[in-house]
Amino acid sequence: MKCLTASLAALVCLGLAACGEKPQTSGARKTATPAYEGPATAFTAPGWKPGDKAAWTDELRTRAQGQNEYVRIGPGPAATH
């Protein structure tokens, strides 16, 4: 009898918890803006101004080349056959 009562109480608690759940919706709808039009913050690269697409693409290209192993290490020893 105690097991049945405990099970019934647990079922009631779970049912009440499910009814109290709030809908998971986002607040304000955000519009997509290109990254190069983002705000200037303390982490903004020096010399870049928001809206400057050419400087943004140059910065991305420079950053990618810094992460390119072939460019970073340089040419290896010549292979001999």
Side-chain angles (χ1 to χ4, degrees):
M1 187 68 173
K2 280 186 174 183
C3 184
L4 180 63
T5 305
S7 297
L8 186 59
L11 185 63
V12 168
C13 287
L14 286 174
L16 290 175
C19 291
E21 186 174 337
K22 296 178 182 177
Q24 298 179 4
T25 58
S26 63
R29 184 176 173 107
K30 297 180 182 179
T31 59
T33 58
Y36 62 86
E37 290 182 5
T41 64
F43 304 106
T44 303
W48 179 76
K49 296 177 186 72
D52 189 357
K53 185 176 181 178
W56 178 267
T57 55
D58 288 343
E59 182 66 31
L60 287 180
R61 186 178 302 111
T62 303
R63 181 179 176 196
Q65 288 301 316
Q67 296 175 352
N68 185 346
E69 292 293 320
Y70 293 110
V71 173
R72 203 168 58 95
I73 295 173
T80 57
H81 288 65

